[in-house]
Amino acid sequence: MQSLLGLLPGASPEDAAKKTGATQNTSITTNDGVKLVYQRHGRLGGPVVVLVHGWSGSQHYFDLNTRPLANQGLTVYTYDQRFHGESDKPSWGFHVARLAADLHELLTQLDLADVTVVGTSMGCAVIWSYIELFGEQRLKQCVFVDQAPLQNTAPDWKWGSTGCYDLASLTRLQCKLQSDFVGFAKDNGAFCASLPLAPEVVQVLEQETLRADPNALAQLMADHTALDWRPLLPRITVPCLNLVGRKSAVFPWYGCEVVGKLVPNCHTVFFERANHWLYLEQPKEFCSLVADFVTGSFVKVSQILHIP
């Protein structure tokens, strides 16, 4: 499997792995017997960052981010959530809460503390569910990337997902996943990125999506899209950074902005030209912002409202 690490300037996959201190794939086993594959990037002893990928992604969606973050002295962990990438794909556990329990087991088994956890898309919901179930134990701060607090429409909410927001749209998506998964993987890239991505990057992203289990994705989305996190967000007390793609085709920007308004200790930054995959479209800016937040909290990022 080609890694995006090999697409970094001047680096073969092997050279890039050496420079970031990346470990080979290793794994933990959850309490229900599921293997989760993870990697560590950077040297031990730095501030710990855990990157949580979104629905239908994998840990390799972060390959353009791990080296720059590790070069800032951070210890970065990525992992494949169940049903995704190289992790197991069981016939149960199609709930965001189960994914949150997996995150808890990863942090616990690796004995990671004072963690900055970064969630992209559904990865945000995994973090919110973690906090609901386990509190803020082991967490120092959080970064949320382009996710509204509720995807479905509701009598008091119209700013959720543009593509999956009620039973009819969920059914259409589930049919697409089960009848044309290859077509879904291709369409997903065109939908989630506005700024051009290198063809090689697009190819790797599509291949990584195709590693997921489409039937599991269909059931998992049914759970994810209906969850309303608005009551939970005001209870979060750790410092948070909310990153929003102004050109996001997945959510209206003002729906994702609400996260920053509901979390008490949260700062929102808009990526003005980026879409849902802002961390892939503008990886340099994304990594600089996250590294500043990890090492300096709000001191370094508080004046940044927009990324051009």
Side-chain angles (χ1 to χ4, degrees):
M1 181 64 220
Q2 183 185 16
S3 167
L4 294 183
L5 282 170
L7 303 176
L8 290 165
S12 69
E14 294 78 11
D15 289 340
K18 290 177 182 177
K19 290 180 180 179
T20 61
T23 61
Q24 297 297 316
N25 279 349
T26 186
S27 66
I28 65 164
T29 300
T30 65
N31 61 2
D32 62 340
V34 173
K35 182 184 73 174
L36 301 180
V37 173
Y38 74 90
Q39 289 186 346
R40 190 195 78 241
H41 308 262
R43 312 305 177 191
L44 288 173
V48 177
V49 176
V50 175
L51 303 176
V52 186
H53 68 76
W55 178 84
S56 80
S58 81
Q59 65 176 320
H60 288 298
Y61 271 54
F62 295 121
D63 281 351
L64 295 182
N65 310 123
T66 51
R67 177 182 169 187
L69 290 173
N71 285 343
Q72 295 291 322
L74 308 181
T75 304
V76 182
Y77 290 85
T78 60
Y79 71 105
D80 291 328
Q81 301 198 69
R82 67 174 64 202
F83 316 122
H84 299 78
E86 296 184 51
S87 289
D88 285 347
K89 300 167 179 64
S91 58
W92 66 88
F94 309 110
H95 306 284
V96 171
R98 180 62 252 189
L99 303 184
D102 291 345
L103 174 59
H104 181 258
E105 292 212 36
L106 180 76
L107 300 187
T108 302
Q109 291 191 35
L110 299 183
D111 195 23
L112 303 180
D114 295 325
V115 174
T116 297
V117 61
V118 181
T120 61
S121 194
M122 187 192 70
C124 300
V126 172
I127 297 170
W128 298 333
S129 183
Y130 176 103
I131 293 173
E132 181 178 61
L133 293 171
F134 307 105
E136 294 169 347
Q137 57 182 271
R138 298 186 178 271
L139 303 185
K140 180 180 180 182
Q141 48 197 22
C142 304
V143 180
F144 310 127
V145 181
D146 211 62
Q147 175 68 42
L150 171 61
Q151 293 201 165
N152 280 358
T153 57
D156 62 343
W157 179 257
K158 307 298 180 185
W159 307 287
S161 172
T162 62
C164 190
Y165 48 84
D166 61 11
L167 181 59
S169 57
L170 170 65
T171 302
R172 288 194 296 269
L173 175 60
Q174 291 175 322
C175 290
K176 180 71 172 180
L177 290 167
Q178 294 168 338
S179 65
D180 185 16
F181 193 35
V182 172
F184 164 79
K186 290 184 178 297
D187 294 344
N188 199 36
F191 192 62
C192 293
S194 294
L195 297 176
L197 302 177
E200 296 86 357
V201 172
V202 173
Q203 181 182 12
V204 171
L205 297 175
E206 290 179 3
Q207 290 173 343
E208 285 300 302
T209 293
L210 292 175
R211 286 187 168 202
D213 179 345
N215 294 318
L217 292 180
Q219 296 183 68
L220 183 58
M221 180 55 74
D223 182 73
H224 169 48
T225 196
L227 295 173
D228 187 352
W229 297 106
R230 289 177 294 169
L232 173 85
L233 296 183
R235 298 178 56 82
I236 298 176
T237 64
V238 296
C240 296
L241 185 62
N242 183 42
L243 307 183
V244 179
R246 186 80 81 171
K247 304 297 184 182
S248 179
V250 178
F251 298 104
W253 63 264
Y254 37 86
C256 295
E257 182 188 30
V258 170
V259 172
K261 293 180 176 180
L262 290 177
V263 177
N265 196 12
C266 189
H267 180 68
T268 295
V269 177
F270 293 96
F271 282 63
E272 294 294 341
R273 297 184 297 125
N275 197 324
H276 190 56
W277 284 348
L278 59 89
Y279 58 100
L280 289 165
E281 297 170 273
Q282 295 183 274
K284 180 179 178 180
E285 293 85 350
F286 171 82
C287 291
S288 177
L289 192 62
V290 170
D292 283 348
F293 182 60
V294 173
T295 58
S297 192
F298 289 130
V299 175
K300 293 185 178 181
V301 306
S302 60
Q303 301 303 312
I304 302 173
L305 300 177
H306 308 279
I307 299 292

